[in-house]
Amino acid sequence: MHLKTGVFLLAAVFLSGPVIAGEDAELRQCRKLKREIDHYTELRRHGGSGKQMDAWKAARWEREKAFSDLRCSYYGSQL
């Protein structure tokens, strides 16, 4: 009985490894996107030419879209 429990435990650890690693990679990507969104927000707050503001707005929108597509809001306070 103990052997079966050990085998199931080892299987669970090995099978969950890639999932955890994938979640870490997703979390890192989400954190990066969040930093970039905040960066473009700050740039726009400080102002610039119309052309700069439009470029920053477009860049921010692209990061927000990626943030949404990755479902980064799932990580909430971890960001």
Side-chain angles (χ1 to χ4, degrees), residues 31-77:
R31 284 179 176 157
K32 181 181 180 221
L33 287 169
K34 177 82 168 94
R35 282 192 308 270
E36 291 175 356
I37 290 167
D38 292 344
H39 171 73
Y40 286 112
T41 299
E42 283 301 311
L43 287 174
R44 295 197 65 210
R45 281 188 183 142
H46 293 293
S49 70
K51 188 175 181 177
Q52 283 178 321
M53 297 290 277
D54 288 343
W56 294 335
K57 184 177 181 180
R60 184 176 187 266
W61 184 86
E62 288 174 9
R63 271 82 176 172
E64 287 177 336
K65 175 87 169 83
F67 190 89
S68 177
D69 290 345
L70 284 173
R71 296 186 173 128
C72 292
S73 58
Y74 166 80
Y75 293 107
S77 63

